[in-house]
Amino acid sequence: MGRETMTEISSSRDEAQMIASILSGNTQEFHSLIRPYERSVFSMALSLLQNEADAEDAAQDAFLKAFRNLKAFRAESKFSTWLISITLNEARSRLRKKKTMKVQSIEEQQEEHNHASPALLRDWREIPSEALERQEVKLILQQAITDLPLIYREIFLLRDVEELSVNESAETLGISVASVKVRLHRARMMLQKKLAPQLKQTSPKRRWLPWL
């Protein structure tokens, strides 16, 4: 079985009670609160920063900021959504400081009113599980995601990897629901364009993806 997503973890335990306990003085319980998210937070940071040392620093700082600002956490949101938002901010801050990446800017109004509808994609997770288990295919997929422009990589990781809802993704990124949908659609189209020829070359006779 694969790892649990942040959404699945949040729904499987009473995090509100854990947070209340931490705020009442049981600070050691913070480790129990964040432990299931450690891998996801690091993976998210690594996908954005593309450097393990930087990702470790960003993850540690994200957890530290979450602890220091736990009183500011709004109970109407999921803790996982709030935590991943902090992680994204930490990663973005490091990207800006290092100036290693130009963050593509797209005006909100253009996104919300862009009604272009390329061919609909089936969910990328419909790739057969046995194919994903092959290391060669894993590496191709990982590299394709890494090569996405930052704003599309972020939304793809949130929606199709961590399985946050459209509303949760919009809240995490501070954008509109319409922008989430447009960015995700564009991210999937970019992956389709890049992955199709590579996976055909890997095994011409096998249908790795629904559109091949």
Side-chain angles (χ1 to χ4, degrees):
M1 295 180 64
R3 69 176 179 85
E4 286 185 296
T5 65
M6 297 183 84
T7 297
E8 290 170 335
I9 295 168
S10 291
S11 61
S12 66
R13 57 185 192 155
D14 191 347
E15 293 183 343
Q17 184 176 354
M18 296 176 73
I19 291 171
S21 177
I22 295 166
L23 292 177
S24 69
N26 298 321
T27 56
Q28 71 278 3
E29 195 167 351
F30 184 73
H31 297 291
S32 299
L33 176 65
I34 66 170
R35 188 174 296 115
Y37 299 125
E38 289 176 346
R39 181 177 176 181
S40 290
V41 166
F42 173 75
S43 296
M44 178 69 69
L46 181 60
S47 294
L48 299 178
L49 296 169
Q50 302 178 36
N51 179 284
E52 288 193 3
D54 289 342
E56 288 176 0
D57 288 342
Q60 289 176 2
D61 286 349
F63 287 127
L64 183 59
K65 286 191 175 181
F67 176 72
R68 290 176 174 173
N69 296 282
L70 195 57
K71 289 182 179 179
F73 171 65
R74 296 179 301 168
E76 62 265 23
S77 301
K78 287 184 179 178
F79 177 75
S80 58
T81 303
W82 184 67
L83 181 58
I84 206 65
S85 179
I86 294 174
T87 305
L88 286 174
N89 287 336
E90 285 299 312
R92 287 169 173 171
S93 176
R94 281 166 171 74
L95 287 173
R96 285 194 296 267
K97 288 178 182 177
K98 294 180 67 174
K99 297 183 179 180
T100 57
M101 183 183 295
K102 293 182 179 179
V103 180
Q104 184 177 357
S105 176
I106 297 180
E107 292 185 5
E108 187 79 6
Q109 185 175 4
Q110 289 180 333
E111 290 185 332
E112 292 185 4
H113 296 287
N114 187 334
H115 298 296
S117 298
L120 293 176
L121 300 184
R122 292 171 62 187
D123 199 312
W124 76 282
R125 284 167 293 168
E126 292 182 27
I127 299 171
S129 59
E130 64 270 21
L132 287 175
E133 290 172 0
R134 289 182 53 175
Q135 187 64 24
E136 184 178 4
V137 177
K138 278 187 179 181
L139 292 175
I140 291 173
L141 290 171
Q142 289 170 357
Q143 187 59 52
I145 295 171
T146 298
D147 289 343
L148 287 172
L150 181 61
I151 63 172
Y152 301 122
R153 199 184 330 152
E154 288 177 342
I155 196 61
F156 185 82
L157 291 169
L158 292 176
R159 289 285 290 121
D160 282 354
V161 177
E162 293 303 333
E163 299 182 357
L164 269 65
S165 69
V166 172
N167 289 335
E168 289 169 343
S169 299
E171 179 183 350
T172 299
L173 295 172
I175 60 177
S176 69
V177 167
S179 291
V180 168
K181 293 178 179 178
V182 170
R183 290 186 187 185
L184 180 61
H185 185 60
R186 289 176 180 172
R188 288 173 173 171
M189 290 298 291
M190 290 177 188
L191 288 175
Q192 178 193 35
K193 183 177 181 180
K194 183 160 188 174
L195 287 172
Q198 291 188 55
L199 294 181
K200 277 185 177 179
Q201 185 177 6
T202 299
S203 182
K205 295 182 179 180
R206 186 162 189 170
R207 289 175 57 87
W208 289 111
L209 299 169
W211 53 85
L212 293 181

